[in-house]
Amino acid sequence: MASPPILSLALPSNTGRVLSIQSHTVQGYVGNKSAVFPLQLLGYDVDPINSVQFSNHTGYPTFKGQVLNGQQLLDLIEGLEANNLLYYTHLLTGYIGSVSFLKSVLEVVDKLRSINPNLTYVCDPVMGDEGKLYVPEDLVSVYREKVVPVASMLTPNQFEAELLTKLRIGSETDGRKACKILHAAGPSKVVITSINIDGNLLLIGSHQKDKEQAPEQFKIVIPRIPAYFTGTGDLMTALLLGWSNKYPDNLDKAAELAVSSLQALLQRTLNDYTSAGFDSKSSSLEIRLIQSQDDIRQPKLTFKAHKYS
Amino acid sequence: MASPPILSLALPSNTGRVLSIQSHTVQGYVGNKSAVFPLQLLGYDVDPINSVQFSNHTGYPTFKGQVLNGQQLLDLIEGLEANNLLYYTHLLTGYIGSVSFLKSVLEVVDKLRSINPNLTYVCDPVMGDEGKLYVPEDLVSVYREKVVPVASMLTPNQFEAELLTKLRIGSETDGRKACKILHAAGPSKVVITSINIDGNLLLIGSHQKDKEQAPEQFKIVIPRIPAYFTGTGDLMTALLLGWSNVTFLFLLLP
């Protein structure tokens, strides 16, 4: 038998090596199913740890499958460490279902940073949406007090940003202020992925390049699409990771590319369902991820960031 | 909250929807890590069932992780069925580590075919290589007697083709004969992915379009690359699935 494999790590990566700890559903595009393929399209080596393996996502009437516990997560990390396979440029996390698992993730952050102090931790602090919590309440304080401080980039939605900052976000000024509070707590990059202000939908991004200076902030106006989709948040965070690494000093450009890709995909999804004769408002739609790969790899820039002065 | 999602299955697929039951390694490109991305690039919707989740492949000095048992596999299928999500155009399997899991896979084949009688089952009968078995020996007869008869396309290597046909393959003629034996047992498409004959490396492919006629057969000469790789067999089978799918080729016609 050949001698032990040469680690692919020995080869330089043009882009990055991402450890992505998210759910896996056999069918559908949420969690790792939504995040990994786009990052691979953008040229990243992605190592997924599947925190669960379910038949389908939990929005369906029923689902079956298996859940990873914190110890099993750490076992996998141990296996990687034993083979010198723990050098990552990025860590990506999304939905986490329990405090114990979240605490194990914090151990992983420490471990990875002990090997690569420059690790970029992109954290989507998934807790809820539109005023409703869909994780156990005790996760909120763990995110706020333990996770945010160690994140490099945070991608909360409006509700999650409010929970983490204890600030009500009713205006663009509030959104910008929330970003500043989050910068002070940890991450130098914050993207509030969707804010509902006066009936308009906005993305607000903020990059604090220097702790002594005010952050560079911008907004992107997002169209309201008359349909529900699943997996778009996970996809958005993956795209933000992918593009912000390629444009590390231009978060606004990265966000423009991410939004352009996502919107093209959503339009295609809506069109495909409508063409097939479905009422897009009757239930949430599975995104046409595979069919939109060109839009992910080479998005047409259709959205512009407006920088705040 | 919105009512139950519209099944993406309702949308026509240009290419296909593949259920791929293979290993998952966090790091590295073997099993589903090697097969899924290429198929997605070729435009397929791929639904992976990860039969294991290991830190890395088993060629490294050590590995850690979890293994799915047959019941857990069937649980996932049950979940899909309850949501009317079991319509697949293709089933893809590779390395399977136990007879019990292999028997559960056979149940899955039946179940999928009861929903889509035209299901294409692409089976890589992973058992060993270069004369050495690397699965439990009792899998061999299960592959030969139970799996081969239900496969649509089979992608054995030389050693596996010998095990399944009980024929020694020492020449191109032997390779072609082995394909005919396999056609008679089940699959209309057979690709012996690498055969070592007189120091040359060949692929031999065989397609029996009509049970009454001789199969169309061909060979491709493959260069010997002076290195070892892992995951190439899984990748090859995925690429063969991807390109051999009739619908996909039709789309490429000008």
Side-chain angles (χ1 to χ4, degrees), chain B residues 55-75:
Chain B
S55 50
N56 43 270
H57 69 70
T58 57
Y60 282 85
T62 171
F63 67 93
K64 291 205 92 168
Q66 305 90 31
V67 175
L68 210 65
N69 62 42
Q71 186 52 54
Q72 291 170 316
L73 166 63
L74 298 175
D75 284 347

Side-chain angles (χ1 to χ4, degrees), chain A residues 132-153:
Chain A
K132 276 165 66 169
L133 212 53
Y134 45 60
V135 298
E137 206 175 334
D138 46 3
L139 265 93
V140 178
S141 56
V142 182
Y143 268 114
R144 194 192 299 123
E145 288 150 36
K146 299 258 152 72
V147 182
V148 165
V150 299
S152 313
M153 179 156 101

Side-chain angles (χ1 to χ4, degrees), chain B residues 96-106 136-140 142:
Chain B
I96 289 166
S98 69
V99 166
S100 66
F101 198 86
L102 188 50
K103 288 184 167 171
S104 299
V105 167
L106 285 165
E137 204 175 333
D138 46 2
L139 264 93
V140 179
V142 182

Side-chain angles (χ1 to χ4, degrees), chain A residues 1-2 4-8 17 19 24-29 33 37 40-41 44-50 53-57 59-66 68 72-73 75-76 78-80 82-83 85 88 228 272-273 276 278-280 282-286 288 290-291 293 297, chain B residues 1-15 17 19 24-29 33 37 39-51 53-57 59-66 68 71-73 75-80 82-83 85 88 132 228 230:
Chain A
M1 193 73 207
I6 290 171
L7 305 179
S8 58
R17 176 175 293 278
L19 180 68
H24 170 75
T25 56
V26 175
Q27 186 275 344
Y29 296 108
K33 283 289 283 309
F37 179 57
Q40 292 174 322
L41 286 172
Y44 291 83
D45 279 276
V46 187
D47 288 5
I49 289 184
N50 298 317
Q53 176 164 239
F54 288 162
S55 50
N56 43 268
H57 68 69
Y60 282 86
T62 171
F63 67 93
K64 290 205 94 166
Q66 305 90 30
L68 210 65
Q72 291 169 316
L73 166 63
D75 284 346
L76 291 169
E78 218 181 288
L80 292 168
N83 292 295
L85 292 170
Y88 289 101
Y228 280 99
D272 284 0
Y273 277 99
F278 284 92
D279 174 8
S280 63
S282 65
S283 56
S284 71
L285 311 180
E286 291 280 12
R288 296 288 266 174
I290 304 303
Q291 295 74 13
Q293 54 188 277
R297 214 188 286 111
Chain B
M1 190 76 210
S3 46
I6 290 173
L7 304 180
S8 56
L9 285 175
L11 294 182
S13 173
N14 286 338
T15 44
R17 176 175 293 276
L19 181 67
H24 170 74
T25 56
V26 176
Q27 185 276 342
Y29 296 107
K33 283 290 280 315
F37 180 56
L39 285 168
Q40 292 174 320
L41 286 173
L42 293 179
Y44 292 83
D45 279 277
V46 187
D47 289 4
I49 289 183
N50 298 317
S51 57
Q53 176 164 237
F54 289 163
S55 50
N56 43 270
H57 69 70
Y60 282 85
T62 171
F63 67 93
K64 291 205 92 168
Q66 305 90 31
L68 210 65
Q71 186 52 54
Q72 291 170 316
L73 166 63
D75 284 347
L76 291 169
I77 298 294
E78 214 181 292
L80 292 168
N83 292 295
L85 292 169
Y88 290 101
K132 279 166 64 174
Y228 281 100
T230 44

Side-chain angles (χ1 to χ4, degrees), chain B residues 106-185:
Chain B
L106 285 165
E107 286 189 55
V108 174
V109 176
D110 280 349
K111 174 66 77 171
L112 296 189
R113 278 214 171 109
S114 72
I115 290 162
N116 176 15
N118 292 324
L119 176 90
T120 300
Y121 174 23
V122 177
C123 172
D124 183 6
V126 179
M127 290 181 282
D129 203 2
E130 297 179 345
K132 279 166 64 174
L133 212 52
Y134 44 59
V135 297
E137 204 175 333
D138 46 2
L139 264 93
V140 179
S141 55
V142 182
Y143 268 114
R144 194 191 299 122
E145 287 150 35
K146 299 258 152 71
V147 181
V148 165
V150 299
S152 314
M153 180 157 100
L154 204 71
T155 62
N157 57 33
Q158 177 174 8
F159 176 56
E160 292 156 356
E162 290 179 339
L163 285 174
L164 293 174
T165 58
K166 302 189 186 179
L167 177 77
R168 186 80 182 60
I169 299 174
S171 64
E172 288 177 43
T173 308
D174 292 341
R176 296 176 65 187
K177 184 171 174 189
C179 290
K180 287 179 183 162
I181 293 171
L182 291 166
H183 287 313

Side-chain angles (χ1 to χ4, degrees), chain A residues 54-268:
Chain A
F54 288 162
S55 50
N56 43 268
H57 68 69
T58 57
Y60 282 86
T62 171
F63 67 93
K64 290 205 94 166
Q66 305 90 30
V67 176
L68 210 65
N69 62 43
Q71 187 51 54
Q72 291 169 316
L73 166 63
L74 297 175
D75 284 346
L76 291 169
I77 298 295
E78 218 181 288
L80 292 168
E81 190 176 20
N83 292 295
N84 288 321
L85 292 170
L86 267 191
Y87 182 90
Y88 289 101
T89 56
H90 292 76
L91 171 68
L92 172 62
T93 65
Y95 173 87
I96 290 166
S98 70
V99 167
S100 65
F101 198 85
L102 187 50
K103 288 184 165 172
S104 299
V105 166
L106 285 165
E107 286 189 54
V108 174
V109 177
D110 279 349
K111 173 65 79 173
L112 295 189
R113 279 214 171 108
S114 72
I115 292 163
N116 175 16
N118 292 323
L119 176 89
T120 300
Y121 173 22
V122 177
C123 172
D124 184 3
V126 180
M127 290 180 283
D129 204 2
E130 297 178 343
K132 276 165 66 169
L133 212 53
Y134 45 60
V135 298
E137 206 175 334
D138 46 3
L139 265 93
V140 178
S141 56
V142 182
Y143 268 114
R144 194 192 299 123
E145 288 150 36
K146 299 258 152 72
V147 182
V148 165
V150 299
S152 313
M153 179 156 101
L154 204 71
T155 63
N157 58 32
Q158 178 174 7
F159 177 57
E160 292 156 356
E162 291 179 338
L163 285 174
L164 293 173
T165 58
K166 300 188 187 181
L167 176 76
R168 187 79 180 61
I169 300 176
S171 66
E172 289 178 44
T173 307
D174 292 341
R176 297 175 64 186
K177 185 173 174 190
C179 290
K180 287 178 181 161
I181 294 171
L182 291 166
H183 287 313
S188 60
K189 291 180 183 175
V190 178
V191 179
I192 307 182
T193 49
S194 66
I195 308 181
N196 206 324
I197 295 173
D198 305 325
N200 294 317
L201 222 45
L202 295 179
L203 170 151
I204 289 182
S206 186
H207 183 189
Q208 183 162 52
K209 295 181 174 180
D210 192 317
K211 282 213 170 284
E212 307 301 306
Q213 293 181 339
E216 292 180 9
Q217 301 187 318
F218 60 91
K219 72 178 176 189
I220 300 178
V221 181
I222 303 169
R224 281 192 173 290
I225 299 183
Y228 280 99
F229 304 94
T230 45
T232 50
D234 303 327
L235 175 54
M236 184 62 178
T237 301
L239 292 172
L240 285 168
L241 185 163
W243 288 112
S244 69
N245 186 46
K246 292 181 196 252
Y247 294 97
D249 298 319
N250 292 87
L251 185 60
D252 53 328
K253 177 130 177 94
E256 287 175 346
L257 290 160
V259 170
S260 298
S261 290
L262 181 60
Q263 291 297 321
L265 174 147
L266 294 180
Q267 270 310 314
R268 172 175 291 96

